[in-house]
Amino acid sequence: MAKGGFRGGMGGMNQAAMMKQVQKMQQEMLKAQEEMESKTYSVTTGGGMVTATVNGKHEVLALEIKPEAVDPDDVEMLQDMVIAAVNEAMRKADADANANMSKLTGGMNLGGLGGLF
């Protein structure tokens, strides 16, 4: 072992300061997650016939279907519009979560931590 023993640390960074910084980032991530979960995202498809609203927890909060979209002879078209609206609303929620995570981490890839949102 080198004279003076192992000093530890990462590039001379004080471990206590590093832990404090990690705890601060964890708090910011939890706050951001709570904010994301409370946001809502709405998407309209089919020329305004179907609107889906979801939250950041990927829960469908509302589904509005205009009466003129209901055609008993073409139920498949309505199903497609509903699926498209819900899927696009979910993509909006995911894109917003990823953008917010990127802001928090300064663009660092934290591996599995991105799945928190």
Side-chain angles (χ1 to χ4, degrees), residues 35-42 53-56 61 92-93 96:
E35 289 173 4
M36 289 300 307
E37 289 177 353
S38 68
K39 285 185 178 182
T40 60
Y41 305 88
S42 293
T53 302
V54 302
N55 64 18
L61 301 177
K92 276 178 81 170
D96 193 31

Side-chain angles (χ1 to χ4, degrees), residues 59-75:
E59 298 169 331
V60 177
L61 301 177
L63 182 63
E64 299 171 33
I65 301 172
K66 293 205 173 175
E68 54 270 25
V70 181
D71 179 356
D73 295 326
D74 195 3
V75 174

